[in-house]
């Protein structure tokens, strides 16, 4: 039988292989419903088949690998993450969770072949498409599609080239006018577990390989469009200017100041577009994006209100028009106590626990999956705390530890299910 050490080494090699599939030469970019995305999905599908799964796909590129139990067709314990990337990405954010799921499936399937009685549920691994939201400004695209929660109007969203989500689905051979039955509904899923690199420095600073997530922060994305008057940079006196970029700059600094003053709050302006964009012309238009996150939704909402009020004052003081467009709002999501307890029990059983209990500052498909299933997350150390960057990395020993805990977690849930003691999903971590 293949060992967990061999499977962990395979995970690392496969992460390198996926990391070589990109839209751009010299940097890793893999957006959903593109040729490189399809190549990555084909590769993941082949690895799932090799692990013994029956593989299916859907119209947005989600890949599902299912290993049935003796009952056939019943609910599944689902392990998953995503295989799309940000621009100029690292190799582990998303794919590591998928690859750990495939490795766990391969181990459990081989164990059954050697006479193990098997699990009391099906085991499924999902590779979601479009979690990052880089294309179509549609984060969690794959998990929303799979749970039947794709918001109204999203099919009309367009990418930078003007291709709509509906058009991209058509180009990929799908039919956006015939949405399929949601893959995941409440009765279909025993639990959803998402292994993921931490994407932060806490575990690395503590010298710890793994952590368990108790909650995922709520987040909000806004687009602020300031409009003033473009004019000559040399002949327009300062008091007569309607400088859109200056108003946007004020809003950026306010967001930073508010976030520094509120514990646990983070605020980021990651995009700025300026028109007409000439060195000798006063900017007549400036558009920025804001990403604001906190584990307490009431704190986040209050902070957003303060930032927007200051932005409106900055616009008014310069005689600028300001249009605020909400692009996304996701509530803070607690992980399920039963799944978290199973991960902790598994960590103790494998000699890794108890694990540090953490809050995730990043968004994950688990947030969407919480609408249909109890969720849990296992964090793997990010050396240097680096993510969303080519130098993002993972340690082979940490991956091996994560794989062993993941397999033991599946067994722990199975034991609870057999005993009828796996908690109802209404009993969540506060």
């Amino acid at each position: 039988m293949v060992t967990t050490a061999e499977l962990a080494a395979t995970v690392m090699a496969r992460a390198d292989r996926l990391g070589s599939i990109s839209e751009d030469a010299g940097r890793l970019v893999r957006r959903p419903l593109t040729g490189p995305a399809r190549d990555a999905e084909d590769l993941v599908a082949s690895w799932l088949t090799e692990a013994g799964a029956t593989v299916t796909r859907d119209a947005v590129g989600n890949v599902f690998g299912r290993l049935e139990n003796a009952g056939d067709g019943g609910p599944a314990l689902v392990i998953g993450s995503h295989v799309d990337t940000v621009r100029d990405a690292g190799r582990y954010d998303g794919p590591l969770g998928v690859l750990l799921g495939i490795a766990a499936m391969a181990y459990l399937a081989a164990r059954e072949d050697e006479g193990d009685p098997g699990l009391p549920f099906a085991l499924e691994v999902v590779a979601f498409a479009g979690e990052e939201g880089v294309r179509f400004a549609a984060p969690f695209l794959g998990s929303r599609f799979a749970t039947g929660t794709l918001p109204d109007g999203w099919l009309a969203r367009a990418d930078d080239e003007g291709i709509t989500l509906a058009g991209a689905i058509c180009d990929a051979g799908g039919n956006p006018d015939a949405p399929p039955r949601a893959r995941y509904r409440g009765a279909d899923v025993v639990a959803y577990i998402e292994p993921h690199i931490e994407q932060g420095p806490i575990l690395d600073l503590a010298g710890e390989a793994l952590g368990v997530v108790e909650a995922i922060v709520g987040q909000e994305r806004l687009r602020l469009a300031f409009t003033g008057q473009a004019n000559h940079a040399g002949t327009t006196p300062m008091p007569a200017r309607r400088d859109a970029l200056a108003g946007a700059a004020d809003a950026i600094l306010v967001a930073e100041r508010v976030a520094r003053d509120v514990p646990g709050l983070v605020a980021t302006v990651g995009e700025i577009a300026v028109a007409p964009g000439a060195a000798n012309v006063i900017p007549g238009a400036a558009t920025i994006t804001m990403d604001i996150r906190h584990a307490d939704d009431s704190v986040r909402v209050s902070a957003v209100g303060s930032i927007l009020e200051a932005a409106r004052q900055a616009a008014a003081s310069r005689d600028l028009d300001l249009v605020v467009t909400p692009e996304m709002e996701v509530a803070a999501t607690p992980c399920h106590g039963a799944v978290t307890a199973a991960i902790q029990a598994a960590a103790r059983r494998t000699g890794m626990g108890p694990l540090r209990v953490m809050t995730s500052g990043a968004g994950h498909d688990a947030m969407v999956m919480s609408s249909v299933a109890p969720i849990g997350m296992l964090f793997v150390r990010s050396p240097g705390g680096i993510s969303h960057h080519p130098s993002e990395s993972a340690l082979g020993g940490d991956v091996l530890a994560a794989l062993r805990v993941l397999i033991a977690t599946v067994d722990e849930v199975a034991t609870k299910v057999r005993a009828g003691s796996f908690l109802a999903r209404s009993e969540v971590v506060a």
Side-chain angles (χ1 to χ4, degrees):
M1 179 174 170
V2 66
T3 66
T4 52
E6 291 169 329
L7 287 168
T10 298
V11 167
M12 297 297 285
R14 286 174 171 175
D16 289 343
R17 180 86 181 276
L18 282 176
S20 70
I21 301 174
S22 176
E23 295 176 50
D24 295 349
R27 67 172 188 168
L28 178 54
V29 184
R30 199 164 55 237
R31 301 172 301 155
L33 294 164
T34 61
R38 181 70 180 188
D39 292 342
E41 291 152 13
D42 287 345
L43 201 52
V44 167
S46 72
W47 293 332
L48 283 165
T49 300
E50 184 181 321
T54 300
V55 178
T56 55
R57 310 187 198 212
D58 65 18
V60 298
N62 291 326
V63 181
F64 309 93
R66 185 178 178 94
L67 190 67
E68 293 290 0
N69 65 351
D72 234 16
L77 187 151
V78 181
I79 301 169
S81 194
H82 61 96
V83 291
D84 65 303
T85 75
V86 296
R87 293 183 176 90
D88 203 18
R91 291 167 291 173
Y92 300 96
D93 172 12
L96 179 61
V98 175
L99 297 174
L100 281 168
I102 295 172
M105 176 179 278
Y107 182 88
L108 292 164
R111 193 175 68 181
E112 285 190 29
D113 288 343
E114 294 192 357
D116 183 90
L119 302 170
F121 40 70
L123 183 64
E124 191 157 305
V125 174
V126 55
F128 286 121
E131 187 262 8
E132 298 287 5
V134 173
R135 191 180 187 194
F136 311 114
F140 313 118
L141 171 63
S143 51
R144 289 181 189 270
F145 196 83
T147 55
T149 58
L150 198 69
D152 292 340
W154 272 31
L155 288 172
R157 290 196 174 193
D159 66 9
D160 293 341
E161 289 80 39
I163 301 170
T164 64
L165 174 55
I169 291 173
C170 287
D171 291 344
N175 180 6
D177 297 322
R181 167 192 175 276
R183 172 80 180 198
Y184 297 128
R185 298 180 296 184
D188 301 327
V189 186
V190 174
Y192 173 77
I193 301 171
E194 184 163 355
H196 207 283
I197 60 167
E198 180 196 346
Q199 300 181 270
I202 293 173
L203 290 173
D204 193 44
L205 290 173
E208 298 170 8
L210 306 176
V212 64
V213 178
E214 65 176 348
I216 305 168
V217 298
Q219 58 179 297
E220 195 163 343
R221 292 185 192 173
L222 304 165
R223 188 170 295 273
L224 281 65
F226 295 81
T227 305
Q229 177 63 58
N231 211 335
H232 197 290
T235 61
T236 309
M238 296 304 291
R241 296 183 177 217
R242 299 176 61 210
D243 188 331
L245 182 57
D250 264 3
I252 293 170
L253 293 176
V254 166
E256 181 189 43
R257 184 166 62 251
V258 170
R260 286 182 181 274
D261 290 345
V262 177
L265 185 75
V266 293
T268 304
V269 173
E271 294 177 313
I272 303 176
V274 181
N280 60 348
V281 180
I282 298 164
T287 300
I288 62 175
T289 60
M290 282 190 180
D291 181 303
I292 302 163
R293 310 184 189 202
H294 196 276
D296 184 326
D297 287 333
S298 64
V299 174
R300 171 178 53 81
V301 170
S302 176
V304 169
S306 297
I307 292 168
L308 291 183
E309 178 58 29
R312 292 185 180 100
Q313 291 176 7
S317 69
R318 293 176 172 80
D319 193 21
L320 306 174
D321 294 324
L322 171 60
V323 176
V324 178
T325 304
E327 292 199 332
M328 181 190 77
E329 184 174 6
V330 180
T333 306
C335 290
H336 195 292
V339 186
T340 300
I343 294 171
Q344 286 284 31
R348 287 192 293 269
R349 203 165 86 197
T350 58
M352 291 299 300
L355 301 179
R356 178 181 296 271
V357 178
M358 308 177 69
T359 296
S360 174
H364 303 284
D365 289 304
M367 302 173 82
V368 177
M369 288 295 288
S370 70
S371 67
V372 298
I375 65 164
M377 290 196 68
L378 176 66
F379 265 175
V380 182
R381 168 170 41 192
S382 295
I386 301 298
S387 183
H388 284 190
H389 187 272
S391 61
E392 175 184 280
S393 62
L395 302 174
D398 294 354
V399 170
L400 174 57
L403 177 59
R404 288 173 173 165
V405 170
L406 183 59
I407 292 167
T409 300
V410 175
D411 285 337
E412 187 69 23
V413 174
T415 298
K416 296 290 186 182
V417 168
R418 288 190 186 100
S421 59
F422 194 65
L423 297 179
R425 69 177 295 274
S426 59
E427 300 181 59
V428 297
V429 176

